[in-house]
Amino acid sequence: DSSPYGPRQFRNFAPMKMLRLLFLCLIALPLTAQTTKITVEATGCKAMNLYAFDGGTFEQVMPLKTNDSGVWEAYAPVEGPTFRYVGSTPADELPVIIGGDEAMTITGTCGKLRNVQVTDSPINKKYQELKRTFQSHNRDFSGGMRAYQQAAVKKDSAVMKQEMAALANLAQRKRTLFEKTKKENPVLARVVSMNTYLSFLNENNDRFQNELDYFVNTYFQFVDFKDEGYNDLPWTYEGNRNFGNTLAAAIPAERLGDIMLAVYDKWPAGSRAQFFAMSGGFAALAQKKHVATIKVADAITERFNKTYP
């Protein structure tokens, strides 16, 4: 159930002021990176800002200024393609990739910026295409699993075989998309890795005793946990929020905390990626008031109280 827009559910867990200051200092360091010109043609806007997601909230990086035509503009420096957010407020913003193209134009209406169009930017156009592909994959996966389960109840072996073949085809499409994107763009490949889960029916091959064990052990199989590019990737948060949402529905007991913490240990200890991952999992559990919420919250505090006092 992946969100195509990136993290929005974690606004109640805001890191302390020192974390905000540290994060903003880091992203404000002098860079030799290229600059992306951001132009926003939007009606009904009283302000326009560039935001960054710090694992807990959206922090303002820089404001956009209006020109004589009432169009908002800014020149945003970053070191390589990086996810940021453009919007009138943190509650009304659009995720964009800056640093991948020299310019981008955003056209829309304030209050509805998450649905606007980004033009003049091939990397953002590709990102929008990927989000639509993820939605299509999710529909095909859910529909295929539902049809297979219904056929299994009826013991309709012909339909079961047909649906398994369709799911196998979907898995191949996902693999192909990941390999293709990996060659074309590392940033987008990381996003794809967080959205590539393959069917237990076709992919388990007697490796795990049940679907739950398979899910826990293979959900992130395309993620390179040593890749530092996940440290500033909002999808590190979002992918783990989706992971936590699924597990919270399947495992109501407190032991879910231990299961999720074991997965977080795959990330480099103390890394921002690990913080993003744990924050996403915490957000999923907290929203559902799951009994394992406190265990994950305590682990975040224990692991990051020195890094982010």
Side-chain angles (χ1 to χ4, degrees):
D1 182 27
S2 65
S3 163
Y5 298 108
R8 298 182 177 280
Q9 307 273 346
F10 198 25
R11 304 184 188 277
N12 292 327
F13 177 56
M16 301 300 288
K17 184 177 181 180
M18 190 173 292
L19 168 58
R20 296 193 184 104
L21 293 174
L22 173 63
F23 179 80
L24 292 174
C25 286
L26 288 174
I27 60 178
L29 290 174
L31 300 172
T32 58
Q34 75 178 80
T35 299
T36 297
K37 181 183 179 182
I38 303 173
T39 302
V40 181
E41 300 173 353
T43 58
C45 303
K46 296 182 179 179
M48 190 64 60
N49 297 291
L50 182 68
Y51 298 97
F53 181 69
D54 65 7
T57 189
F58 292 88
E59 296 291 348
Q60 180 180 323
V61 176
M62 62 187 299
L64 278 69
K65 298 180 179 181
T66 53
N67 61 20
D68 295 337
S69 302
V71 176
W72 301 89
E73 293 182 335
Y75 290 86
V78 289
E79 191 171 10
T82 305
F83 272 88
R84 292 291 182 259
Y85 297 79
V86 177
S88 55
T89 68
D92 178 35
E93 35 75 0
L94 175 74
V96 295
I97 302 173
I98 62 175
D101 298 310
E102 293 183 358
M104 70 173 66
T105 301
I106 299 170
T107 306
T109 303
C110 274
K112 301 178 180 179
L113 288 180
R114 68 181 64 179
N115 298 319
V116 305
Q117 298 294 318
V118 180
T119 57
D120 305 327
S121 174
I123 191 171
N124 280 282
K125 181 179 180 180
K126 180 63 178 177
Y127 178 55
Q128 297 292 333
E129 291 174 353
L130 282 175
K131 290 191 292 185
R132 289 191 290 269
T133 299
F134 298 154
Q135 292 173 329
S136 175
H137 286 174
N138 289 340
R139 286 193 298 269
D140 290 348
F141 181 82
S142 298
M145 289 299 299
R146 194 161 46 244
Y148 177 88
Q149 292 165 355
Q150 292 172 350
V153 171
K154 298 177 181 179
K155 297 182 180 181
D156 189 336
S157 58
V159 174
M160 291 170 64
K161 184 177 180 180
Q162 174 183 316
E163 294 305 327
M164 285 191 67
L167 289 169
N169 177 268
L170 174 60
Q172 186 55 48
R173 283 155 46 202
K174 289 183 176 183
R175 283 195 179 94
T176 299
L177 176 65
F178 175 70
E179 293 300 330
K180 180 176 181 292
T181 309
K182 189 175 181 180
K183 294 177 181 178
E184 295 175 348
N185 190 295
V187 174
L188 295 179
R190 295 180 192 114
V191 176
V192 176
S193 74
M194 285 288 176
N195 288 274
T196 306
Y197 175 70
L198 307 181
S199 167
F200 169 78
L201 293 174
N202 298 96
E203 302 293 328
N204 184 46
N205 297 321
D206 297 323
R207 289 182 295 162
F208 300 98
Q209 292 185 347
N210 54 61
E211 188 170 2
L212 181 59
D213 287 345
Y214 170 85
F215 179 86
V216 171
N217 286 280
T218 69
Y219 189 84
F220 297 114
Q221 64 177 302
F222 293 95
V223 172
D224 180 359
F225 292 97
K226 296 180 181 180
D227 181 357
E228 294 183 357
Y230 288 90
N231 284 326
D232 195 25
L233 183 74
W235 274 99
T236 307
Y237 167 96
E238 186 66 16
N240 280 276
R241 188 182 69 84
N242 293 333
F243 179 69
N245 274 331
T246 300
L247 288 180
I251 306 175
E254 188 176 7
R255 70 184 180 91
L256 173 57
D258 294 323
I259 293 172
M260 294 175 69
L261 290 175
V263 174
Y264 302 144
D265 285 340
K266 295 181 180 180
W267 296 100
S271 65
R272 183 176 291 276
Q274 188 180 64
F275 178 70
F276 272 31
M278 296 179 75
S279 298
F282 169 80
L285 298 182
Q287 186 181 29
K288 297 178 182 298
K289 296 181 172 58
H290 195 283
V291 68
T293 305
I294 298 301
K295 177 168 285 191
V296 174
D298 286 345
I300 292 174
T301 303
E302 179 181 353
R303 295 186 188 192
F304 295 99
N305 65 347
K306 292 182 179 180
T307 309
Y308 308 131

